Amino acid sequence: MAEKLLVEAVNDALHVELARDDSVMVMGEDVGRAGGVFRATAGLVERFGENRCVDTPLAEAGILGTAVGLCMAGWKPVCEMQYDAFSYPCLDQLITHVGRYHWRTGGKMEFPITVRMPYGGGVRAPELHDDSPETYYVHTPGIKVAIPSTPADAKGLLAAAIRDPDPVVVFEPKLIYRTERGEVPEGDYVVPLGKARIAREGTDVTLVAYGAMVPVCERAADELADDVSCEIVDIRSLRPLDEESLLASASKTGRVVIVQEAPRTVGFGAEIAAILAEKAILDLRGPVLRVTGYDVPYPYWKIEDAYMPSVERVAAAVERVARF
Amino acid sequence: MAEKLLVEAVNDALHVELARDDSVMVMGEDVGRAGGVFRATAGLVERFGENRCVDTPLAEAGILGTAVGLCMAGWKPVCEMQYDAFSYPCLDQLITHVGRYHWRTGGKMEFPITVRMPYGGGVRAPELHDDSPETYYVHTPGIKVAIPSTPADAKGLLAAAIRDPDPVVVFEPKLIYRTERGEVPEGDYVVPLGKARIAREGTDVTLVAYGAMVPVCERAADELADDVSCEIVDIRSLRPLDEESLLASASKTGRVVIVQEAPRTVGFGAEIAAILAEKAILDLRGPVLRVTGYDVPYPYWKIEDAYMPSVERVAAAVERVARF
Amino acid sequence: MIEVAQRSVIDEERELDGVGEQDLLDIYRSMVLLRTYDERSLVYHRQGRIGTYAIFWNHEAMQAGSAHALADEDWIFPSYRESAIGLLRGIPPATVLHWWRGHPAGWWNPADYNVASICVPIGTHVPHAVGLAWGKKLKGESACAIAYFGDGATSEGAFHEGANFAAVMQAPVILFCNNNQWAISTPISAQTRAETLADKAVGYGMPGVRVDGGDVLAVYEATREAVERARKGGGPTFIEALSYRAAPHATADDPRVYIDIARVEAEKKNECLGRYERYLRKLGVLGDDLEADIKAEAAEAMRAGIAAAEAEPDPDPELVFENAYVHPPPNMRDG
Amino acid sequence: MIEVAQRSVIDEERELDGVGEQDLLDIYRSMVLLRTYDERSLVYHRQGRIGTYAIFWNHEAMQAGSAHALADEDWIFPSYRESAIGLLRGIPPATVLHWWRGHPAGWWNPADYNVASICVPIGTHVPHAVGLAWGKKLKGESACAIAYFGDGATSEGAFHEGANFAAVMQAPVILFCNNNQWAISTPISAQTRAETLADKAVGYGMPGVRVDGGDVLAVYEATREAVERARKGGGPTFIEALSYRAAPHATADDPRVYIDIARVEAEKKNECLGRYERYLRKLGVLGDDLEADIKAEAAEAMRAGIAAAEAEPDPDPELVFENAYVHPPPNMRDG
Ligand SMILES: Cc1ncc(C[n+]2csc(CCOP(=O)(O)OP(=O)(O)O)c2C)c(N)n1
Ligand SMILES: Cc1ncc(C[n+]2csc(CCOP(=O)(O)OP(=O)(O)O)c2C)c(N)n1
Ligand SMILES: [Mg+2]
Ligand SMILES: [Mg+2]
């Protein structure tokens, strides 16, 4: 095992999967010659050639739309959207076709498309480089969604996504692309979709998060460690969702705080809360709190820290529910 | 007051608002010569001319994108998307620009765009004429969303949307376009955004719904009337949301069933449930149940009734929570 | 490399290289089958036996002529306007009728016929066809693809992005635009300011050609050239087939509020099947008996088709949960 | 009506009708101001005083030349590449510096300057410019609009839909394409197969023209013609200004992995400001003293600009909730 940064683990997964299956191809803006604006696709074009790592025209709907046809020709396309907010032009293809085409063929054809993109805020960038769009994707039937928070998961979930016969969208938390470093198994390595990760065991309050919010929860848990024992559930696979681990933790602690970077209304935190309100109502010993981004345009970066769920906001929510 | 069908009430609102304010214009595919494929815009081009009721090219992103510029020139565009699923190409403009441009100008310019579209299933149509896309819209900061369930609200909420200085999306439940008939005030008539409607008072269980699911709840309540007294909260304005009425009803009954036609995951029902799990936890005397569409592609119409929340499914959920 | 003059064969009485009597009759059979499908479907709709239906009367020449220029390995990407084009590839009429009946038996396996699913949203299948063609080329296979769409579709971003990808990737694909001059109630003059739709090819750096869409042989010829070029590595072609929508947009549409009825009547008189029949008769290829036989065969196929469709049991509501995923999430049935 | 030959003025030493010494120097002042803004910003970025920055070195001729052809009532829709074009309309350098500092003081009121907000996503502002121009026309006002975008933007659906609307509505708008031949690492040859980007105009039925984007007067002339046509009701024009990106895409980009360095060096030698200076000197319009004065003035504007920007207090975090809505929903602060 080698230590890798999160973005290096992504790159590793792509190298392994392209080597493993020659029907896998990578496509997107600047993924070839430049190796991706975050260098997530570095070395692929040199190693696998221009047919397996394609610099496309600047057209996100074109990327995802041609990927549908590529599947019909036997390819497994891995499409990069250069940034979260620049993926929106592909939503039409995603909703009308990518999520429905397997169904439309009576289950006969498969569309093993992977869409991956750096996402999320806190990176001191101009507007539209900071969005957390997972709701748009996870609400769409036929689509699966994964969001890693560690280098190992970044590799393993991406590998699982590429090998999955269904379309999977992987959001990579760019804020921690180069701050999260960890052991990553070499070669073939898959983290199955649909299993949450208990990032930390605890007994008093359950923190539910994914992506860059997991380290925030960890820091909040550290701060509170003397008073409150926090369990942290890293959802990591939003669909399929590991309800079992979620409900088990809620039943153990009876107190839940959900942390999500996206705007609040119908963010994925709402789904988690709704599941708890239905399936864990007798276990709950306090309100289910959400610490989220706000229902406002993602702000100018000088004040973005006031938007992003912070250690303080998370800690305050934990204390509130712990004392309830 | 005259009796009108829901779609006639929409048409009435457009006539009144275009007559009232000559900066209001209607634009979309087939809204002029044809008067709209559901005749919601009938008579507008004859009365207000081709500059105020514009048949556009077939390009939804172009419609919403030019609407942004039209606002800058002092217009208040009312954009029709011909059907729910055909609105997806406009999502990029919606998310990147419509919801952010007021903010981007430091609050100096207003973008009083109205987007209206027939939505929802049950109409025995080929695929992609049946979607309930409100999640994509209501998750987007800067956007307001209204969904009427009666002719009077269809008129009043659309008028409110057109007069509102913020962008508002109005979803019109096409299943009940011509089945819901009711008294509609003549002339100027506004139903303010942000106020729920108590469609029926009751004491045992609160049913929360909007659009075409309100009549379904009413029928379920009728069926159960001997055993369970249902209160029906017609949300009708998803953003701004009338949390007060919602919480008041939940506190009164302690038992809530939410009905939503859209796919389950992060549907608007999840947001309602999450609000209850946070703000009404001590009032709840049972699980918060959701009766929803499924996380599957909207089905072929021969079996669409098995997808749509039915009176039976709603009644079963009410009974389950009533007995809890 | 844009041909702006509209190509014709029938009116000019040109003979096409390599097109023998057999071809002429195959094409005729295809046209008759499509015409019969369309006319019967309208009746079935009126009888309440199928749902809303998108009429393609007078579009048969564009569909049959172009499809005849393809090899079986070539993929067809139809819009709703070409819902029945799969019949020319062996899809049973019952299947397509099922599609319009909202019955899951109307969904076929595209790979069985190299015919993609019917595309309902405008223009979004253009990138699919391009991707398929590009993907085949990357695999060293020789198949091409053809995408059918209308004049209105050229306004959509999806058409544009697909066309640009096609040219950049030199994908072996034919972008076949059925310019029936209307997008529901919107005339071509409100759709574009370009003089011809074939002009659009210039902006993509691909060949563009305009043909008489009522002339099945002109359509065949233009498509054959495009297919040959594509197969030789010459990349995509944009074909504009000029025709006129002589029927309502679909069964739910009342064109009287927007269309020029006199023009429609004129078009009806010159509709594509009659034109081709007169030509074949003049050539001596078609006579009364043969025509009657071919039409009877098509009528019989449709009779059998609707009977088979109606004999199919109502679908199991459980199918709501089928095929959403290969590996469905465990909570998919929650609702 | 496509001019494929690339128009030049400087190299041909043509004189432009109605362009006097004052105009020549105004244009020069604009170019110097933009150049100074750009060069200083790069320094400020290196010093950590502003954030990521999109360099527009060698794009000044395109921006200053076209902007000079506009009246004050005309609206400018910039991309990030034209972030500082508002300086030519009186937006203070501090404001634009704030934008790159992620400070809310960087957001101006477009209506104060008829300069729209900087558009970050590619091509999505094209329909905005078209809508503004169309809307002004509907109101009987005479203002035009200009949208700036790059070669890469022509691949996006948003560009296409906007351009088509422009032509159909005969909107008085100029679609100004800065073809610097790169979209980050993607060369124009991987972006389109069209011979020139001006060719794209054909498909929309609008005039297209290609100019030397390093020749500020050629750019001015082409834009002036387009503006005149637009104001007379002649609708939109597509202008392709051919140039070359002689700097990194932005401060975060390392072009050495993809670009041809020799070509970049050649372009640098022929960069647009030097070319114009040599021309003005030859004409006798510019001398050492004047040049020094103009450059000093620009340098002073930037010194004052960064000082003002840095004197601005840090923004109040409460601003997170400002301006999301005119009438905010009551629960907007829940989080
Ligand atoms: C994205 C999208 N927008 C709107 C519609 C609704 N609609 C169905 S057919 C049609 C007109 C299409 O015209 P055209 O492309 O010319 O094809 P034709 O029907 O004439 O064959 C429209 C607007 C749709 N299906 N998809
Ligand atoms: C919709 C969208 N996709 C991707 C990006 C990321 N991106 C920023 S600049 C750029 C290249 C733009 O190239 P071009 O249009 O030629 O303009 P230039 O930067 O050369 O002026 C890309 C891909 C974006 N900003 N918006
Ligand atoms: Mg048409
Ligand atoms: Mg460029």
Side-chain angles (χ1 to χ4, degrees):
Chain A
M1 286 229 268
E3 284 239 321
K4 285 197 161 66
L5 302 177
L6 200 150
V7 68
E8 291 169 347
V10 169
N11 184 253
D12 185 16
L14 293 171
H15 274 274
V16 171
E17 297 305 311
L18 266 82
R20 191 182 162 269
D21 179 349
D22 59 18
S23 64
V24 177
M25 66 187 278
V26 163
M27 60 192 290
E29 296 154 13
D30 307 296
V31 296
R33 296 171 189 83
V37 296
F38 290 98
R39 311 234 9 102
T41 55
L44 295 175
V45 75
E46 293 81 358
R47 184 167 165 202
F48 300 101
E50 290 195 344
N51 287 352
R52 308 259 325 270
C53 179
V54 185
D55 276 327
T56 65
L58 211 177
E60 294 75 14
I63 292 169
L64 194 55
T66 54
V68 169
L70 286 164
C71 291
M72 293 174 152
W75 290 96
K76 297 182 184 142
V78 182
C79 304
E80 173 172 306
M81 298 288 144
Q82 200 164 80
Y83 273 91
D84 32 61
F86 306 146
S87 75
Y88 299 137
C90 90
L91 283 174
D92 179 35
Q93 282 290 334
L94 184 98
I95 307 169
T96 56
H97 293 299
V98 175
R100 303 189 209 231
Y101 225 125
H102 171 66
W103 162 80
R104 206 175 268 155
T105 69
K108 296 300 191 306
M109 296 186 84
E110 296 182 357
F111 294 83
I113 296 173
T114 304
V115 177
R116 46 165 292 278
M117 72 185 85
Y119 92 103
V123 295
R124 309 290 182 251
E127 67 159 326
L128 296 164
H129 291 76
D130 323 273
D131 276 12
S132 294
E134 64 271 20
T135 276
Y136 301 110
Y137 290 86
V138 78
H139 183 58
T140 304
I143 304 297
K144 297 174 174 173
V145 173
I147 310 187
S149 75
T150 68
D153 282 357
K155 177 172 180 177
L157 290 169
L158 180 54
I162 292 171
R163 297 184 195 186
D164 199 279
D166 292 311
V168 185
V169 184
V170 184
F171 292 93
E172 298 162 2
K174 69 173 103 74
L175 176 63
I176 57 175
Y177 254 167
R178 300 186 170 275
T179 58
E180 286 296 308
R181 176 190 292 280
E183 296 286 313
V184 176
E186 322 254 333
D188 249 51
Y189 178 62
V190 172
V191 172
L193 300 175
K195 294 277 161 247
R197 182 177 70 95
I198 305 302
R200 177 177 306 195
E201 304 219 9
T203 51
D204 300 336
V205 173
T206 298
L207 280 162
V208 184
Y210 48 86
M213 293 301 100
V214 174
V216 172
C217 289
E218 286 170 331
R219 290 200 294 281
D222 288 344
E223 279 199 6
L224 298 169
D226 292 343
D227 301 320
V228 189
S229 160
C230 291
E231 175 142 308
I232 302 178
V233 181
D234 178 357
I235 287 294
R236 78 180 174 179
S237 174
L238 280 65
R239 173 140 77 212
L241 178 68
D242 183 355
E243 287 193 8
E244 231 168 280
S245 300
L246 175 71
L247 294 173
S249 184
S251 118
K252 175 160 105 179
T253 63
R255 296 183 160 87
V256 183
V257 173
I258 305 161
V259 186
Q260 140 209 324
E261 194 181 324
R264 185 182 192 79
T265 297
V266 293
F268 196 69
E271 182 63 28
I272 304 269
I275 289 170
L276 294 170
E278 174 174 355
K279 301 185 180 174
I281 193 78
L282 294 179
D283 294 326
L284 292 174
R285 280 178 281 168
V288 178
L289 299 184
R290 286 180 290 166
V291 180
T292 67
Y294 302 103
D295 289 332
V296 302
Y298 190 93
Y300 342 86
W301 59 257
K302 285 259 181 201
I303 55 172
E304 66 180 330
D305 294 346
Y307 169 94
M308 294 278 282
S310 60
V311 172
E312 296 69 42
R313 280 168 64 199
V314 173
V318 170
E319 292 193 313
R320 200 185 128 201
V321 74
R323 301 231 169 81
F324 191 84
Chain B
M1 286 230 268
E3 283 239 322
K4 285 198 161 64
L5 301 177
L6 200 150
V7 68
E8 291 169 347
V10 169
N11 184 253
D12 184 17
L14 293 171
H15 274 274
V16 171
E17 297 306 310
L18 266 81
R20 189 180 162 271
D21 179 349
D22 59 19
S23 63
V24 176
M25 66 187 275
V26 163
M27 61 193 289
E29 296 154 12
D30 307 296
V31 296
R33 295 173 191 79
V37 295
F38 289 98
R39 314 234 8 104
T41 55
L44 294 175
V45 74
E46 293 80 359
R47 181 164 167 205
F48 300 101
E50 292 196 341
N51 288 353
R52 307 254 332 266
C53 178
V54 184
D55 275 325
T56 65
L58 211 176
E60 293 77 12
I63 293 170
L64 195 54
T66 54
V68 170
L70 285 165
C71 291
M72 293 173 151
W75 290 96
K76 298 182 183 142
V78 182
C79 304
E80 173 172 307
M81 298 289 145
Q82 201 165 83
Y83 273 90
D84 32 62
F86 307 146
S87 76
Y88 300 138
C90 91
L91 283 174
D92 180 35
Q93 282 290 336
L94 185 98
I95 307 168
T96 56
H97 292 298
V98 176
R100 303 189 209 231
Y101 225 124
H102 172 66
W103 163 82
R104 206 175 268 153
T105 68
K108 295 300 192 303
M109 295 186 85
E110 296 181 357
F111 294 83
I113 295 173
T114 303
V115 177
R116 46 167 292 278
M117 71 186 85
Y119 91 104
V123 296
R124 309 289 183 252
E127 66 158 325
L128 297 164
H129 291 75
D130 322 273
D131 277 12
S132 294
E134 64 271 18
T135 277
Y136 301 109
Y137 289 85
V138 77
H139 183 58
T140 303
I143 304 297
K144 296 175 174 172
V145 174
I147 309 187
S149 74
T150 67
D153 281 357
K155 176 171 181 178
L157 289 170
L158 180 54
I162 293 170
R163 298 183 194 186
D164 199 279
D166 292 311
V168 185
V169 183
V170 184
F171 291 93
E172 298 162 2
K174 68 171 103 75
L175 176 62
I176 56 175
Y177 253 168
R178 298 185 171 276
T179 57
E180 286 296 309
R181 174 190 293 281
E183 296 285 312
V184 176
E186 322 254 335
D188 250 52
Y189 178 62
V190 172
V191 172
L193 300 175
K195 293 276 161 250
R197 180 177 72 95
I198 305 302
R200 176 176 307 196
E201 304 219 11
T203 52
D204 300 337
V205 174
T206 299
L207 280 163
V208 183
Y210 48 87
M213 293 300 101
V214 173
V216 172
C217 290
E218 286 169 333
R219 289 200 296 278
D222 288 344
E223 279 200 5
L224 298 168
D226 292 341
D227 302 319
V228 190
S229 159
C230 290
E231 175 142 309
I232 301 177
V233 181
D234 177 359
I235 288 293
R236 79 179 172 179
S237 173
L238 281 64
R239 174 137 78 211
L241 177 68
D242 183 355
E243 287 192 10
E244 231 169 279
S245 300
L246 176 70
L247 295 172
S249 184
S251 120
K252 176 161 105 179
T253 64
R255 296 182 159 88
V256 183
V257 173
I258 305 161
V259 186
Q260 140 209 324
E261 194 181 323
R264 185 180 191 80
T265 299
V266 293
F268 197 69
E271 182 63 28
I272 304 269
I275 289 169
L276 294 170
E278 174 174 354
K279 300 187 179 174
I281 194 77
L282 294 180
D283 294 325
L284 292 174
R285 282 179 278 167
V288 177
L289 299 184
R290 286 182 289 166
V291 180
T292 68
Y294 301 104
D295 288 333
V296 301
Y298 190 91
Y300 343 83
W301 58 258
K302 285 259 181 201
I303 54 172
E304 67 180 331
D305 294 345
Y307 170 94
M308 295 278 283
S310 60
V311 172
E312 296 69 44
R313 281 167 65 200
V314 173
V318 169
E319 291 193 312
R320 198 183 130 202
V321 75
R323 301 233 169 82
F324 192 85
Chain C
M1 214 175 112
I2 303 302
E3 268 188 46
V4 175
Q6 181 181 310
R7 266 215 235 181
S8 342
V9 172
I10 291 184
D11 291 354
E12 295 172 7
E13 304 198 16
R14 278 199 288 130
E15 275 196 29
L16 295 184
D17 257 14
V19 175
E21 207 174 303
Q22 193 53 51
D23 287 295
L24 292 174
L25 285 177
D26 281 355
I27 292 174
Y28 180 62
R29 257 188 212 92
S30 295
M31 279 180 83
V32 169
L33 184 57
L34 291 171
R35 172 63 55 90
T36 310
Y37 181 92
D38 186 70
E39 291 186 342
R40 293 309 300 159
S41 292
L42 193 57
V43 173
Y44 300 150
H45 170 77
R46 294 211 179 105
Q47 296 170 338
R49 299 161 82 181
I50 68 172
T52 304
Y53 170 69
I55 304 155
F56 58 78
W57 199 89
N58 201 33
H59 293 63
E60 299 88 347
M62 297 186 279
Q63 300 178 16
S66 54
H68 194 74
L70 305 173
D72 283 348
E73 64 174 356
D74 298 331
W75 276 67
I76 293 175
F77 289 76
S79 82
Y80 52 88
R81 191 67 75 207
E82 295 78 26
S83 66
I85 199 167
L87 268 52
L88 309 186
R89 282 286 178 84
I91 296 183
T95 303
V96 185
L97 288 167
H98 271 308
W99 197 90
W100 291 109
R101 296 172 78 228
H103 192 295
W107 273 249
W108 62 84
N109 178 3
D112 285 346
Y113 306 98
N114 296 345
V115 178
S117 304
I118 296 167
C119 188
V120 172
I122 303 300
T124 52
H125 58 314
V126 173
H128 305 168
V130 173
L132 179 285
W134 170 31
K136 292 281 183 188
K137 178 180 150 181
L138 288 178
K139 298 230 163 200
E141 299 173 23
S142 62
C144 310
I146 187 167
Y148 293 93
F149 51 88
D151 42 303
T154 62
S155 297
E156 288 278 8
F159 157 75
H160 173 73
E161 298 193 13
N164 187 50
F165 262 76
V168 168
M169 304 306 174
Q170 286 290 285
V173 65
I174 293 102
L175 305 181
F176 192 102
C177 180
N178 133 41
N179 180 2
N180 63 11
Q181 305 189 48
W182 291 92
I184 309 186
S185 72
T186 307
I188 183 78
S189 60
Q191 200 64 253
T192 181
R193 183 97 183 172
E195 278 177 41
T196 77
L197 292 177
D199 280 355
K200 301 213 172 257
V202 184
Y204 304 109
M206 68 171 77
V209 51
R210 192 179 219 212
V211 297
D212 177 348
D215 178 340
V216 69
L217 295 179
V219 170
Y220 168 71
E221 183 189 42
T223 313
R224 187 173 70 175
E225 280 176 26
V227 169
E228 275 166 14
R229 177 165 43 237
R231 244 192 272 285
K232 278 196 213 122
T237 301
F238 182 96
I239 298 178
E240 174 190 5
L242 194 68
S243 91
Y244 199 85
R245 211 190 72 210
H249 168 73
T251 47
D253 177 44
D254 179 4
R256 284 169 307 178
V257 301
Y258 57 79
I259 223 162
D260 171 3
I261 301 286
R263 173 75 197 264
V264 169
E265 289 311 316
E267 290 294 332
K268 280 187 179 164
K269 292 218 179 73
N270 198 29
E271 59 80 22
C272 62
L273 181 60
R275 252 172 101 186
Y276 190 48
E277 280 172 352
R278 290 191 293 278
Y279 173 80
L280 291 180
R281 281 174 179 273
K282 209 160 160 188
L283 277 188
V285 170
L286 187 70
D288 288 349
D289 290 353
L290 187 53
E291 179 181 332
D293 282 356
I294 290 174
K295 290 192 169 164
E297 206 182 310
E300 178 47 34
M302 286 306 295
R303 252 190 307 274
I306 190 77
E310 291 180 341
E312 184 84 20
D314 268 354
D316 182 352
E318 263 302 294
L319 283 172
V320 163
F321 301 107
E322 287 286 300
N323 305 325
Y325 291 89
V326 181
H327 300 318
N331 62 354
M332 191 183 65
R333 284 160 178 270
D334 283 4
Chain D
M1 211 175 117
I2 304 300
E3 268 188 47
V4 175
Q6 181 181 310
R7 270 217 230 177
S8 344
V9 172
I10 291 183
D11 291 354
E12 295 171 7
E13 304 199 14
R14 278 200 287 129
E15 275 198 29
L16 294 185
D17 257 15
V19 175
E21 207 173 302
Q22 193 52 50
D23 286 296
L24 292 174
L25 286 175
D26 281 353
I27 292 174
Y28 180 63
R29 258 188 211 93
S30 294
M31 280 180 84
V32 169
L33 183 57
L34 290 171
R35 173 63 56 90
T36 311
Y37 180 93
D38 185 71
E39 291 186 342
R40 293 309 300 158
S41 291
L42 194 56
V43 173
Y44 300 150
H45 170 77
R46 294 211 179 104
Q47 296 170 339
R49 299 161 83 182
I50 68 172
T52 304
Y53 170 70
I55 305 156
F56 58 78
W57 199 88
N58 201 31
H59 293 63
E60 298 89 346
M62 297 185 280
Q63 299 178 17
S66 55
H68 194 74
L70 305 174
D72 284 347
E73 64 175 354
D74 298 330
W75 275 69
I76 293 175
F77 288 77
S79 83
Y80 53 88
R81 191 68 74 207
E82 296 78 24
S83 66
I85 200 167
L87 268 53
L88 310 185
R89 281 287 177 82
I91 296 183
T95 302
V96 185
L97 287 166
H98 272 308
W99 196 90
W100 292 108
R101 297 172 78 228
H103 191 296
W107 273 249
W108 62 83
N109 177 3
D112 285 347
Y113 306 98
N114 296 345
V115 178
S117 305
I118 296 167
C119 189
V120 171
I122 303 299
T124 51
H125 58 314
V126 173
H128 305 169
V130 173
L132 180 286
W134 170 32
K136 292 280 185 191
K137 178 180 149 183
L138 288 177
K139 297 227 166 205
E141 299 173 24
S142 61
C144 308
I146 187 168
Y148 293 93
F149 51 89
D151 42 305
T154 62
S155 297
E156 289 278 8
F159 157 75
H160 173 72
E161 298 192 13
N164 187 50
F165 262 77
V168 168
M169 303 307 174
Q170 287 289 287
V173 64
I174 292 103
L175 305 182
F176 192 101
C177 180
N178 131 41
N179 180 2
N180 62 12
Q181 304 187 48
W182 291 91
I184 309 186
S185 72
T186 307
I188 183 79
S189 60
Q191 199 65 250
T192 182
R193 184 97 184 173
E195 279 177 40
T196 76
L197 291 177
D199 280 355
K200 302 213 173 257
V202 184
Y204 304 109
M206 66 170 78
V209 51
R210 193 179 217 210
V211 297
D212 176 348
D215 178 340
V216 69
L217 295 179
V219 170
Y220 168 70
E221 182 189 43
T223 313
R224 187 174 69 175
E225 280 176 25
V227 169
E228 275 166 13
R229 176 166 43 238
R231 246 194 270 286
K232 278 195 212 123
T237 301
F238 182 97
I239 298 177
E240 175 190 5
L242 193 69
S243 93
Y244 198 85
R245 211 191 71 210
H249 168 73
T251 47
D253 175 45
D254 179 4
R256 284 168 309 178
V257 301
Y258 58 80
I259 224 162
D260 171 4
I261 301 289
R263 172 78 196 264
V264 169
E265 289 312 316
E267 291 294 331
K268 280 187 179 165
K269 292 214 180 78
N270 198 30
E271 59 79 23
C272 64
L273 181 60
R275 252 172 102 187
Y276 190 47
E277 279 171 351
R278 292 191 293 278
Y279 173 81
L280 291 180
R281 279 173 182 277
K282 209 159 159 189
L283 277 188
V285 170
L286 187 71
D288 289 348
D289 290 353
L290 187 54
E291 179 181 332
D293 282 357
I294 289 174
K295 289 190 170 165
E297 207 183 308
E300 178 47 34
M302 285 306 294
R303 253 192 304 277
I306 191 76
E310 291 179 340
E312 184 83 20
D314 268 352
D316 182 352
E318 262 302 295
L319 282 173
V320 163
F321 301 106
E322 286 285 300
N323 305 326
Y325 291 89
V326 181
H327 300 316
N331 61 354
M332 192 182 64
R333 283 160 179 272
D334 283 3

